[in-house]
Amino acid sequence: MKKKLAGTRVVGALALLAAPLTACASADRDSGDITLVVYAASSLKTTFEQLGEQFEADHPGVDVEFNFAGSSDLVSQIQQGAPVDIFASADIANMDKLAAQDQLGGQAQVFATNTLEIAVPPANPAQIGALADLAKEGVQLVVCAPEVPCGSAARKVESAAGLDWKPVSEEQSVADVLNKVTTGEADAGLVYVTDVKSAGAAVQGIEFPLASEAVNAYPVAPVKGGEQSDLARQFIQLVLGSEGQAVLAAAGFGKP
Amino acid sequence: MTLRESAVGLPRWALVPAGAGALFVVLPLAALVSRVDWTRFGSLITSDASLAALELSLRTSAASTLLCLVFGMPMALVLARSRFVGQDLLRSVVLLPLVLPPVVGGIALLYTFGRRGLLGHALEVAGVQIAFSTIAVVLAQTFVALPFLVVSLEGALRSAGHRYDVVAASLGAGPTTVLFRVTLPLVLPGLLSGAVLAFARALGEFGATITFAGSLQGVTRTLPLEIYLQREADADAAVALSVVLMVVAVVVIAFARRGKGVL
């Protein structure tokens, strides 16, 4: 008797677990909307969400769905067969990975650029004023690891400046670097202009001329096999057009 | 053995979900192993960065296991052998890191031991620098691993009961003598498996470390962090290192199970 009870309980628990899964699957698809799936680099979150709303307003019945993550994560998801209409990368290298495997449904086009800036806590405790200060003794500098795009850009700047800095940490992403600066753990970090802008008063940005040595280009392209190739083309036009460019410029992105 | 098994009886239906569950765990691991580029395996796992990460992981996990023992043993003892108001609440709090997302742990540690944290300034004055140091890695690992030791040991203490302790005490032994001569030897298997679990958890620690400690080769970049980083640049290296981490974890856990059987 007891055993039987336990059995029903297990079945009941399983049913409870399964219920929300099925419920949410049907809720997503019930509306009959057309869905445009956009995979975009994390740094594009704010701007693309804004453009997505614009696009939805211009195209009634169309849902723009975003997946924001690191570009290389997105590439591996697309390579594993994720259903995607558009891919917007934070660097050319990751877009090239898809092009090399013939997974793009059209030419990739650069729609924005981003450059590095020094970010320091608002009080600037280490009194950083220029790039050379980052190599000073005792400065807790945090940069991206060379394996990720912001890190390779930092490397380029470092060698262009003829400096040899000793970061206390090489982080995974620009967000991690920014976080170490906003919490005051780091005295300085190298992040993108757009990150400084979005962090607002939590950090102070310091421009440096050599940033032009490592300009990061953002390409966008339709993904082969995407279901909405027409809509994808229109969305890319929105990004490349004056409206899209205005939104991107407001966030600190440079012109292509 | 067979007699006992048949006497208890295993409901047949249990085999199906049990098998499915086992597959659910084994399949992804098998898929991972199937992706290993064996021709480059040796060179991938013996690169400077990989060896530095493995060494750092083993070193910090050992240190955090030691800390878990130092703090966790008395904690388990207090929880198992005393009664006080708020004990249940305290137990829940101690176990919290088990269920908290490690990133949350990392943020919490940052606001405690960070340069601008609750204790950070006092520590800095005392000359202890925690930010971006190996100490930060050990703290992160200890934070997430401690409950494993406390849970295992508290369970062992409760199931062992304290009849022998009472006898020893009635023969004139002081509480400390009883603890080291009677109680701990009795629960040694539980203590060992708790310590090994804590070690394994520390070895796999990722979220709290990346949030709190940072990532620098040889200083704070443990094996899980190295795997995460390599995945960006060289997926084969990430897979190879994942297999290494998996093998180390399996060996550690197998060791724990064996310790239990022998003792």
Side-chain angles (χ1 to χ4, degrees):
Chain A
M1 186 59 206
K2 207 171 180 190
K3 219 183 276 172
K4 206 166 190 180
L5 236 167
T8 13
R9 237 182 248 164
V10 169
V11 173
L14 284 178
L16 271 178
L17 277 173
L21 288 178
T22 48
C24 117
S26 57
D28 267 0
R29 300 286 159 218
D30 259 4
S31 48
D33 276 351
I34 303 165
T35 309
L36 180 69
V37 183
V38 181
Y39 276 28
S42 316
S43 46
L44 296 168
K45 188 163 190 292
T46 326
T47 49
F48 266 44
E49 268 172 355
Q50 209 177 324
L51 291 174
E53 270 169 38
Q54 180 67 48
F55 194 78
E56 282 172 0
D58 294 344
H59 298 76
V62 173
D63 250 347
V64 185
E65 226 171 64
F66 289 107
N67 178 12
F68 295 106
S71 301
S72 61
D73 281 336
L74 296 174
V75 166
S76 52
Q77 285 168 25
I78 295 170
Q79 283 171 340
Q80 300 296 322
V84 186
D85 297 304
I86 295 173
F87 174 50
S89 168
D91 64 342
I92 305 271
N94 276 300
M95 186 60 87
D96 282 349
K97 284 188 209 165
L98 290 185
Q101 297 192 341
D102 195 23
Q103 281 182 300
L104 296 184
Q107 191 68 37
Q109 286 170 280
V110 173
F111 63 92
T113 58
N114 215 346
T115 47
L116 291 178
E117 199 169 285
I118 303 168
V120 297
N124 197 358
Q127 300 185 332
I128 306 290
L131 207 55
D133 294 339
L134 300 183
K136 272 195 311 195
E137 192 75 19
V139 170
Q140 305 259 52
L141 171 69
V142 176
V143 296
C144 286
E147 284 84 351
V148 293
C150 56
S152 67
R155 271 275 161 91
K156 277 183 210 156
V157 168
E158 183 187 10
S159 63
L163 290 170
D164 178 26
W165 52 50
K166 304 260 182 304
V168 289
S169 181
E170 295 178 336
E171 302 279 332
Q172 214 71 41
S173 73
V174 123
D176 291 326
V177 174
L178 192 66
N179 187 260
K180 297 289 191 294
V181 176
T182 53
T183 54
E185 289 304 294
D187 296 325
L190 273 185
V191 299
Y192 289 115
V193 174
T194 51
D195 300 305
V196 171
K197 205 148 197 172
S198 70
V203 298
Q204 187 189 327
I206 298 164
E207 288 174 30
F208 55 91
L210 278 173
S212 58
E213 291 293 320
V215 177
N216 207 21
Y218 284 64
V220 63
V223 176
K224 203 179 221 175
E227 283 177 15
Q228 311 295 342
S229 53
D230 243 18
L231 283 173
R233 201 171 34 78
Q234 289 171 39
F235 187 84
I236 291 173
Q237 269 167 9
L238 172 69
V239 172
L240 286 162
S242 54
E243 257 180 293
Q245 290 299 305
V247 168
L248 287 158
F253 285 101
K255 290 217 170 304
Chain B
M1 199 65 186
T2 29
L3 190 84
R4 203 151 37 126
E5 271 169 14
S6 64
V8 172
L10 176 72
R12 283 238 184 105
W13 60 261
L15 288 174
V16 177
L23 268 182
F24 178 64
V25 175
V26 171
L27 262 184
L29 300 179
L32 183 70
V33 173
S34 78
R35 278 303 184 90
V36 173
D37 180 356
W38 292 109
T39 52
R40 286 174 65 214
F41 186 75
S43 61
L44 287 175
I45 63 165
T46 52
S47 73
D48 282 352
S50 306
L51 289 179
L54 180 62
E55 198 221 308
L56 181 70
S57 266
L58 293 175
R59 227 159 18 99
T60 51
S61 300
S64 59
T65 307
L66 202 68
L67 278 182
C68 285
L69 282 170
V70 169
F71 295 118
M73 233 159 45
M75 282 163 80
L77 210 61
V78 170
L79 285 175
R81 291 288 157 87
S82 64
R83 274 163 174 253
F84 52 89
V85 181
Q87 188 171 16
D88 286 337
L89 182 69
L90 183 71
R91 185 182 290 112
S92 322
V93 171
V94 168
L95 298 188
L96 206 54
L98 270 182
V99 291
L100 274 185
V103 179
V104 175
I107 295 173
L109 287 169
L110 201 58
Y111 288 121
T112 312
F113 297 103
R115 284 163 90 194
R116 284 201 213 146
L118 214 55
L119 305 176
H121 186 67
L123 287 166
E124 207 157 337
V125 169
V128 183
Q129 163 117 77
I130 289 181
F132 308 114
S133 72
T134 307
I135 301 174
V137 177
V138 174
L139 289 182
Q141 291 173 343
T142 307
F143 185 78
V144 296
L146 189 57
F148 284 83
L149 187 104
V150 176
V151 172
S152 311
L153 188 56
E154 197 204 343
L157 283 168
R158 284 187 180 281
S159 56
H162 45 34
R163 282 170 300 158
Y164 294 102
D165 307 11
V166 172
V167 172
S170 72
L171 292 173
T176 306
T177 313
V178 172
L179 175 65
F180 285 106
R181 303 291 293 274
V182 181
T183 318
L184 286 183
L186 266 178
V187 296
L188 200 58
L191 183 64
L192 268 184
S193 72
V196 171
L197 269 180
F199 182 83
R201 179 65 190 86
L203 201 61
E205 207 318 292
F206 172 77
T209 312
I210 205 164
T211 316
F212 173 50
S215 172
L216 191 70
Q217 186 176 330
V219 182
T220 47
R221 189 173 296 153
T222 56
L223 201 49
L225 267 59
E226 177 69 22
I227 291 170
Y228 194 59
L229 181 62
Q230 283 304 331
R231 202 190 39 122
E232 293 274 350
D234 185 354
D236 288 341
V239 169
L241 287 176
S242 303
V243 170
V244 171
L245 187 61
M246 216 166 81
V247 169
V248 174
V250 166
V251 167
V252 166
I253 294 169
F255 172 79
R257 299 295 309 167
R258 218 172 135 215
K260 219 172 195 171
V262 170
L263 294 157

